[in-house]
Structure formats: structure tokens, C-alpha cells
């Protein structure tokens, strides 16, 4: 979703190396089969080193989700074109990625598995709350700006943001669990269409 | 979601008794902790009896999902008011239940856990595909009827159905995993609002 490993491994700090190994382990094995041992193996570090930093799998994955969210915040700052329409469509691209490949899909699948465990683990729940809030706040802000600048109609910004967010979230989860990229593509069109026809003042 | 145990236990067939026990076990313990042993205990039957009917947990839960879907189909047939608007809002009530209580929420949480495992288990995936298709077909049919009868605007029925379904699905999953019933309520309002303002010809 929000993790692109473009950095050279040698330039990564020890924590970043663990995060990268966690990312690859989740992508390859899914959440249930991910363990401290597997992450240690993937990172080329000893289990003892990982247990020095983390109490258990939940502790490590909580940290990993926080790390992803920090990257997401940075990425959200980057999506900031002048035109509110382009800005909003850019956010929708983050939520409903165009041409989602197998790797992106496998990673989203693992994240969804973690989210399905959130009701049982406060560590996870706190991170997903933060992630939803972050996205919703960003969507509300750009819609409000669009309205102020006369580019969007005077809709209820919070309602429109909620609708776009839930639809995008639901579409990705549906597509990923059914392993059907068409669901994501189809909903991408539908959500973009909603923006063009319902939000834009001059469609 | 779609399981209401109003029948007298004595009137249930052996299979229905197992389904009811599965429902209660999932609700109480969640998916991960649900096992054939726990379901046997809950149903008052022996493990041997359950293993006589089912190979393993996946086999039993696959059957359970199929059973739920049969009930959903029956329930969908019941939601059939003459006015397409009322019909559509009735379907939205099934997807985004008003005043979802803790028990309904706990059950949805377990279903989401199973869905998060669908990419790894064809048995589950097939049932969720059927469930999505069932709901989408029903939504498309009522929107098309509304357009034919001049009650709805001439929108693209498939796109509108997809949008409503993904938004409702996403909202419930978000609310359930964050244990925040407000998310569900808020999105209920937003989705109904979309129907009233975008689909209805005379809003």
C-alpha cells in the first residue's frame, strides 16, 4: 500500500532493516504465518537481536504499523497539487491504487489480516484508528478547500469524505480477499466518477 | 448480520443445531479460537459426531457460510416492498444494520476474520464471492426497476450498486474493527443520503 522499498539496503538503519524484513515476511507469508523467527531470518539478524527490541510479534507489528503510518503522513504531504480536484484524485489513487500488482495485493491482504485482529489487540486498533483519522482528515481538508475556492459544490465535506473513504476501503478489501483486481479497478472508476459528477462544480 | 436464532432449539434439525452452535462459538470466541471441539461443546454433541459430518474446521465453516447465504437469499426475498426507494433502503438496512448491538458486532467481526483468510482458502473465497454477487445483483435489480418505473434518475445501475455496496461494506468493516458503532451509524446516514439526493428523481 504505502511501502516502496526503493532505498539501498546498506543505507537503512537497523530499525529500518527490521521494518523492511517485516514488510517482506508479511507479503510472502501473510499475517498468521509471520513470526519473530521468520522476520529474523528475512532480516539476516538473530532472533535474540529482535527480542532485544520487541517483546513479541504484536509489539513488533504494532511498531511496523506505526512506521507505515509515518511514511503515509510523509506521502500525504507530497500529494499536494494546487487544484483541489487533482489533490482529491491523488488521495483516491493512494487509497485505490491504479494497476495494483500481485505484490501490492499480497501486502494489503496481510494488513487486512492484522486489521481483522484489531478488536482483540489494542496495539493494532490504535494504529488503524490513527490511519482512518489521518485519511479522513486529509479528505475533509481538501474538499473544504475545494468548496472555499469555488471549485467544488457546497456539499457536506465530512459526509463526502466518509463516503469516498468507506467506498475505497471496502472496494480494496473486497477485491483483495476475492483476489479480483477488477473489483478495485471498477470501484476506482466509480469513486472518481462520483468526484467528477457530484463534487466538481463544473463537471 | 443475517442470523437470528428465534427458532426453538427443539425444532432444529441436527445440522441446524450445529450451525447454531457454530454461530454462538464464533460470536463468543472469534474465528481464530473457534475449533471443532468448542463447537461440539457448544452444541452438546460429541466431537466424533461433528467429525462424522465434517473433515475439519474449514469444511465446517465453509458449510456454515453457505448456510448463512441461504438464509440471506430468503431474507432478500422478504425485502420486497413495492416502492423501489423503500426496497433499496431495506437492502441498505441489511448491509448497514441500524443500532447494531454488541452481539451483531461480535458476529460481524468473526465473519471479517474468516474473510481475511479467504485468499488462503478456496472454500471461504467461493462463499464470499457468492455473497458479494448476491448483494450486487439485488442492488442492480432494484435500481434498474426504479429507473424503469421513473422513480430513480437514469444513473448507471451497476456503478451505483457498486458504490453503495463498497461503501456499506467498508463502513461496517471499519466500524467493527475499531469497535466504533458511530462509524456504522454515520455511514448509514451518508449512504441513505446518497440514495435520496443522487438516485431519487424527486428528492
Amino acid at each position: 500500500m504505502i511501502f516502496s522499498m526503493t532505498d539501498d539496503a546498506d543505507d537503512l538503519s537497523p530499525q529500518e532493516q527490521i521494518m523492511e524484513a517485516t514488510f517482506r515476511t508479511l507479503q510472502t507469508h501473510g499475517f498468521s504465518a509471520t513470526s519473530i523467527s521468520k522476520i529474523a531470518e528475512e532480516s539476516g539478524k538473530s532472533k535474540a537481536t529482535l527480542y532485544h527490541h520487541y517483546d513479541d510479534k504484536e509489539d513488533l507489528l504494532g511498531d511496523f504499523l506505526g512506521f507505515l503510518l509515518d511514511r503515509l503522513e510523509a506521502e500525504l504531504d507530497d500529494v499536494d497539487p494546487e487544484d483541489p480536484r487533482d489533490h482529491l484524485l491523488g488521495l483516491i489513487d493512494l487509497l485505490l491504487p491504479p494497476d495494483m500488482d500481485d505484490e501490492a495485493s499480497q501486502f494489503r491482504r496481510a494488513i487486512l489480516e492484522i486489521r481483522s485482529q484489531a478488536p482483540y489487540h489494542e496495539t493494532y486498533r490504535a494504529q488503524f484508528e490513527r490511519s482512518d483519522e489521518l485519511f479522513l482528515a486529509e479528505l475533509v481538508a481538501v474538499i473544504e478547500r475545494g468548496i472555499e475556492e469555488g471549485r467544488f459544490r457546497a456539499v457536506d465535506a465530512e459526509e463526502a469524505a466518509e463516503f469516498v473513504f468507506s467506498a475505497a476501503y471496502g472496494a480494496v478489501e473486497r477485491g483483495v480477499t476475492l483476489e479480483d483486481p477488477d473489483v478495485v479497478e471498477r470501484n476506482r472508476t466509480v469513486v472518481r466518477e462520483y468526484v467528477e459528477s457530484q463534487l466538481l462544480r463544473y463537471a
Side-chain angles (χ1 to χ4, degrees), chain A:
Chain A
M1 174 174 63
I2 52 178
F3 214 71
S4 59
M5 279 305 166
T6 46
D7 310 310
D8 191 322
D10 295 339
D11 296 338
L12 298 177
S13 70
Q15 195 232 5
E16 287 171 333
Q17 289 170 14
I18 297 174
M19 296 294 99
E20 193 196 355
T22 306
F23 171 71
R24 285 197 308 259
T25 308
L26 281 170
Q27 191 171 64
T28 312
H29 301 284
F31 163 74
S32 303
T34 286
S35 61
I36 296 261
S37 303
K38 282 219 177 76
I39 297 171
E41 207 178 302
E42 183 75 44
S43 68
K45 296 185 192 300
S46 70
K47 269 173 69 172
T49 306
L50 266 76
Y51 277 115
H52 178 72
H53 293 286
Y54 300 104
D55 291 341
D56 52 24
K57 174 176 167 178
E58 178 173 349
D59 189 22
L60 197 165
L61 290 183
D63 195 42
F64 177 68
L65 292 174
F67 180 79
L68 288 183
L69 279 171
D70 293 340
R71 290 183 74 122
L72 173 64
E73 279 193 297
E75 220 168 336
L76 287 174
D77 284 341
D78 284 347
V79 185
D80 200 6
E82 236 170 80
D83 182 7
R85 169 187 170 279
D86 296 341
H87 191 167
L88 183 53
L89 294 179
L91 294 176
I92 291 170
D93 276 351
L94 280 182
L95 288 165
L96 280 169
D99 305 317
M100 212 163 137
D101 61 13
D102 282 354
E103 289 197 346
S105 204
Q106 279 154 11
F107 182 62
R108 272 304 284 257
R109 178 192 301 180
I111 295 292
L112 170 64
E113 279 184 85
I114 306 179
R115 184 155 183 157
S116 79
Q117 298 307 309
Y120 313 101
H121 299 279
E122 172 56 28
T123 316
Y124 302 151
R125 194 161 62 245
Q127 301 290 356
F128 286 110
E129 267 167 16
R130 196 184 135 208
S131 144
D132 283 17
E133 278 166 16
L134 200 60
F135 258 119
L136 277 171
E138 199 73 17
L139 288 167
V140 169
V142 67
I143 295 171
E144 282 178 345
R145 183 162 72 87
I147 295 168
E148 274 166 33
E149 294 178 5
R151 186 87 167 96
F152 292 167
R153 297 180 194 174
V155 297
D156 181 316
E158 293 198 5
E159 287 194 358
E162 192 85 39
F163 203 17
V164 164
F165 185 64
S166 288
Y169 176 85
V172 172
E173 307 310 22
R174 287 176 53 217
V176 161
T177 50
L178 300 184
E179 306 203 290
D180 185 352
D182 289 349
V183 173
V184 177
E185 267 311 296
R186 210 158 58 219
N187 278 273
R188 230 178 93 71
T189 310
V190 170
V191 173
R192 292 175 62 99
E193 190 67 27
Y194 169 78
V195 170
E196 302 283 3
S197 71
Q198 303 308 325
L199 298 190
L200 272 192
R201 188 180 281 277
Y202 311 106

